[in-house]
Amino acid sequence: VEIGRGFYSRGWAFGTSGNFSVVVNPNPLRLAITATGIDKGSLAPQHILEINDTGRVLRGTGKPSNETLIHLAIVKLLGAGAVLHIHSVWSTLLSQAYASAGGVVLEGHEMLKGLAGVRSHDHREWLPIVKNSQDMSQLAAVVTRVLQENPGVHGILLQEHGLYTWGSTLADTKRHIEIFEFLMEVRVRSLPIERHEQSVQAL
Ligand SMILES: [Zn+2]
């Protein structure tokens, strides 16, 4: 609840967007996940449901997030302890700019050390970009395939939609959101400089 309200205040989960989950029991899998259509600025404990590994609600009232299948796919494939998803302006712009490349490289930044297991700024982080869809089982299957093809990545962008990241704990995952948001903003703000350098080189 605290994380959801914090993300709302940063403008990362406006208009009821974004969804958050945490594993409350690994086996059998039980996931606490935000209900669909909730204003994250007034997120409250009753807006968080407990579901099983197929997305069936076991505790709480309401419908789990529309994107539940993606959360379940990430947790099952990577053994993540938490998954956070936001619709931020920078993730939307970055996913637009690099959609044709299928992803974007983030490298050379001190802030990369905030991603689990990264020890130096001299790290090359590939952030895959997946085409958006309203068919959630198809989208969950694509996310699974892309994560299998790109082992070790810390996040994934849905094109013109938003960012997914995960971690072993909720605290790690919150940090990943903050790190990616910083890096995505830097990257998008650098685009005019990169374009300028390219045109100077072309001359
Ligand atoms: Zn979304």
Side-chain angles (χ1 to χ4, degrees), residues 3-202:
I3 287 171
R5 289 185 178 205
F7 286 2
Y8 178 88
S9 72
R10 299 297 305 269
W12 300 340
F14 279 162
T16 78
S17 71
N19 31 75
F20 320 122
S21 72
V22 62
V23 173
V24 288
N25 193 64
N27 193 21
L29 182 62
R30 298 289 182 261
L31 202 65
I33 190 162
T34 43
T36 188
I38 302 297
D39 174 3
K40 302 307 183 299
S42 52
L43 192 62
Q46 67 266 27
H47 300 138
I48 296 174
L49 313 174
E50 188 176 321
I51 60 168
N52 70 3
D53 62 346
T54 63
R56 190 164 63 84
V57 177
L58 303 177
R59 276 175 67 193
T61 48
K63 196 176 157 295
S65 163
N66 284 333
E67 296 177 51
T68 295
L69 290 179
I70 299 175
H71 286 252
L72 286 170
I74 293 170
V75 165
K76 286 177 190 173
L77 182 70
L78 304 176
V83 178
L84 296 174
H85 168 60
I86 54 167
H87 293 192
S88 67
V89 171
W90 298 116
S91 65
T92 304
L93 290 172
L94 193 66
S95 71
Q96 250 172 357
Y98 288 91
S100 59
V104 55
V105 173
L106 303 168
E107 61 184 338
H109 295 283
E110 181 69 15
M111 280 293 259
L112 285 162
K113 286 160 64 186
L115 299 176
V118 177
R119 302 270 174 266
S120 165
H121 66 280
D122 191 16
H123 167 78
R124 189 179 163 88
E125 179 74 20
W126 175 246
L127 183 58
I129 300 169
V130 165
K131 202 169 175 351
N132 194 25
S133 169
Q134 299 307 318
D135 180 342
M136 287 304 150
S137 43
Q138 182 258 340
L139 195 50
V142 173
V143 166
T144 299
R145 179 176 55 74
V146 169
L147 292 180
Q148 283 167 336
E149 288 169 357
N150 296 279
V153 297
H154 294 81
I156 191 164
L157 285 176
L158 303 186
Q159 192 184 333
E160 288 153 78
H161 176 160
L163 169 74
Y164 270 91
T165 186
W166 47 85
S168 348
T169 64
L170 197 49
D172 277 355
T173 313
K174 173 179 178 271
R175 193 183 70 243
H176 285 173
I177 287 277
E178 292 173 353
I179 295 291
F180 274 123
E181 268 303 310
F182 179 96
L183 294 170
M184 290 188 301
E185 180 172 351
V186 167
R187 195 56 199 256
V188 175
R189 288 187 187 272
S190 303
L191 281 173
I193 303 169
E194 285 171 20
R195 287 193 188 122
H196 175 71
E197 282 169 352
Q198 280 161 8
S199 53
V200 168
Q201 277 163 12

